[in-house]
Amino acid sequence: MDNLSLFVAFTAGMLSFFSPCVFPLIPAYIATLTGSTISENKVNVMKRTVIIRSISFILGFSFVFIILGASASFLGQLFFENRNLVEKISGFLIIVFGLQMAGLLQLKFLMREKRMQLNSTRRGVGHSLVIGMAFAFGWTPCVGIVLSSILLLAASVETMGSGMLLLSIYSLGLGIPFFIVSFILTYSLNTIKNVNKWLPKLSIVNGWILIGLGLLLFTGQFQRLSAWLAQFSFIS
């Protein structure tokens, strides 16, 4: 597993977090996880509760994403002899995803939203874990587009372990900012309000990043760029 792939996976996780259909809903997620209320411009809940429930939520969606990564890389091994073809198909699809996110395409099937409704009134670590898994299974279109791109990248790696590592790093990129912002919201909601105005522009930037990744894969330059960057790695 090369450092470039890991960097791309981590960045993709952060892109998912700052998507227009995830970031604005963070206060609602925190309120659901903790059973708290939003008033006086903040989420009213104990800091310890936010920390424990957020970690549990992150572990929930990470588990699902890692399993998906293992599945994608396993399928990739079945087509390993045609790896160049797999990379071209993956690159093309990622370009399409990027055009969709940048607003240059409007494919309706990529705009469908799936959510899993949980009506349980119980609040606890186990409940937060299930909510995290439900989030992974019923992701919004923005997360689906970026996540699908990373799964396509996982399908081109050499081993199942590499695919699982790739999705672990993706989950880390999504989980770290979620944890930090969750804690900040117990002090003020202004962070959400200040970032929201930049989300449309961030979505366009995210789209072009995916287009660039797709082009690198399609043209076979991703591996060459990874090999060139490897000489600057401090880890042998």
Side-chain angles (χ1 to χ4, degrees):
M1 176 62 62
D2 56 87
N3 293 336
L4 179 59
S5 296
L6 297 179
F7 174 77
V8 168
F10 185 82
T11 303
M14 297 194 69
L15 297 185
S16 296
F17 178 77
F18 288 103
S19 62
C21 46
V22 172
F23 187 79
L25 299 178
I26 298 302
Y29 275 117
I30 300 304
T32 301
L33 293 176
T34 60
S36 59
T37 59
I38 299 176
S39 61
E40 299 179 356
N41 198 40
K42 65 179 182 179
V43 177
N44 293 293
V45 66
M46 294 178 58
K47 308 296 187 296
R48 180 175 179 273
T49 300
V50 171
I51 292 174
I52 295 175
R53 304 287 172 80
S54 295
I55 291 176
S56 181
F57 177 80
I58 293 169
L59 290 176
F61 67 68
S62 296
F63 173 77
V64 174
F65 291 157
I66 291 171
I67 294 301
L68 290 175
S71 301
S73 55
F74 173 75
L75 291 175
Q77 300 315 299
L78 298 180
F79 301 100
F80 188 75
E81 293 182 358
N82 299 307
R83 182 169 180 175
N84 290 334
L85 177 61
V86 172
E87 288 186 345
K88 288 188 179 299
I89 294 175
S90 299
F92 174 76
L93 291 176
I94 292 175
I95 291 172
V96 172
F97 294 155
L99 292 172
Q100 176 79 13
M101 181 167 283
L104 300 178
L105 283 180
Q106 294 293 329
L107 301 178
K108 292 184 179 180
F109 71 92
L110 291 178
M111 300 174 67
R112 293 176 182 173
E113 184 172 351
K114 299 178 181 179
R115 291 186 185 179
M116 190 175 294
Q117 300 295 332
L118 298 178
N119 298 320
S120 173
T121 57
R122 297 179 60 187
R123 297 291 185 272
V125 174
H127 177 265
S128 301
L129 190 70
V130 173
I131 291 289
M133 295 176 69
F135 169 81
F137 279 119
W139 53 69
T140 59
C142 292
V143 175
I145 289 176
V146 178
L147 176 61
S148 296
S149 301
I150 297 303
L151 289 175
L152 289 170
L153 184 60
S156 65
V157 298
E158 297 180 357
T159 65
M160 185 181 298
S162 296
M164 295 175 70
L165 176 59
L166 203 61
L167 270 295
S168 297
I169 299 299
Y170 170 84
S171 300
L172 199 62
L174 179 57
I176 289 177
F178 180 89
F179 180 82
I180 294 174
V181 172
S182 298
F183 191 77
I184 292 176
L185 292 181
T186 62
Y187 293 96
S188 174
L189 296 179
N190 289 334
T191 299
I192 297 290
K193 297 176 182 178
N194 292 333
V195 176
N196 274 346
K197 60 185 178 181
W198 295 100
L199 291 183
K201 294 182 179 179
L202 284 175
S203 182
I204 295 175
V205 172
N206 296 346
W208 282 105
I209 290 176
L210 288 183
I211 292 172
L213 172 61
L215 287 173
L216 286 174
L217 273 178
F218 186 84
T219 59
Q221 297 302 310
F222 188 84
Q223 290 185 1
R224 293 184 181 181
L225 181 59
S226 299
W228 180 76
L229 291 175
Q231 63 182 312
F232 302 104
S233 174
F234 293 100
I235 303 176
S236 59

